Amino acid sequence: MKTLNINEGAFIEEIPLLQVEHLEKSFGEHKVLMDVDFKTYKGDVVCIIGSSGSGKSTLLRCMNMLERPSGGCIYHKGQSINGKPSQVAQYRAKVGMVFQQFNLFNNLTVLENCMLGPKRVLKKSRQEAKDLSIKYLDKVGMLPYINAKPHQLSGGQKQRVAIARALAMEPEILLFDEPTSALDPEMVGEVLDVMRKLANEGLTMIIVTHEMAFARDVSSRTVFMDKGIIVEDESPRILFTEPKNERTKEFLSRFLIA
Ligand code: ADP
Ligand code: MG
């Protein structure tokens, strides 16, 4: 439980921005997520680590309803969102997602890629959508490339555009699924730098990553997943130095963390 001190000595419970409760997901007979409980509060930066196939992407995809959970509940600011399609659409507009493979539209320019969501989903005018896009392209250092097409950009630049595109929707929470896994090593740093800056500005983020040093240094909480369950959900200081669970220890022993 997280509490807010509203007055000297008087505490109220803070409502999580996003909460999943007893979340389950199966593909046919294959149970991929089992009884997952998870809370994120405003300003949290949560890193999710774990082996390939442990269910990290499925958990993120359920969190933004790209994937329909087989059981359990998702709450946005205390309100269940297992309801009507219009409610799901409203919720999804508040939860941004950045993918490993960028998912940019190759036939559109950088600027057009960013303007699409604000225009189509948020019903912004052309000018408003352009202003928002420029603001966030500037934030990720991609303003000089607004008229470029994705094929003219490096992987790191594409991912920074994808982050700007997600930010242009002004989401309450931004989910990242291995944002640096498809990049050449020399481009990982520029993307992590942008993410670090967003974290410092207070953006709420949930990040699936194999960048252990980033998770240790930037996250407010680190979650270790294995075989469809959350094994450990801890401050990075504890998780990386004195993990409580044997499975966490074994997983971390495979990484040399600088
Ligand atoms: P991670 O992101 O941790 O590598 P995933 O969430 O992608 O793990 O996958 C967890 C398990 O769910 C894997 O065994 C994977 O094959 C399975 N899975 C994921 N998506 C689907 C799908 N759409 N259909 C069937 N099985 C899936
Ligand atoms: Mg994955």
Side-chain angles (χ1 to χ4, degrees), residues 67-82:
E67 207 68 81
R68 219 175 167 75
S70 312
C73 275
I74 298 177
Y75 299 94
H76 173 237
K77 294 179 176 167
Q79 213 187 358
S80 166
I81 51 120
N82 294 353

Side-chain angles (χ1 to χ4, degrees), residues 25-28 30-33 48-61 67 100 177-178 208 210 225 228:
K25 178 68 187 177
S26 300
F27 294 105
H30 186 188
K31 276 195 163 184
V32 172
L33 296 176
I48 302 177
I49 62 173
S51 308
S52 175
S54 56
K56 306 179 299 298
S57 295
T58 305
L59 177 58
L60 277 197
R61 292 167 65 82
E67 207 68 81
Q100 185 175 334
D177 193 359
E178 297 198 33
V208 172
H210 293 293
M225 276 189 79

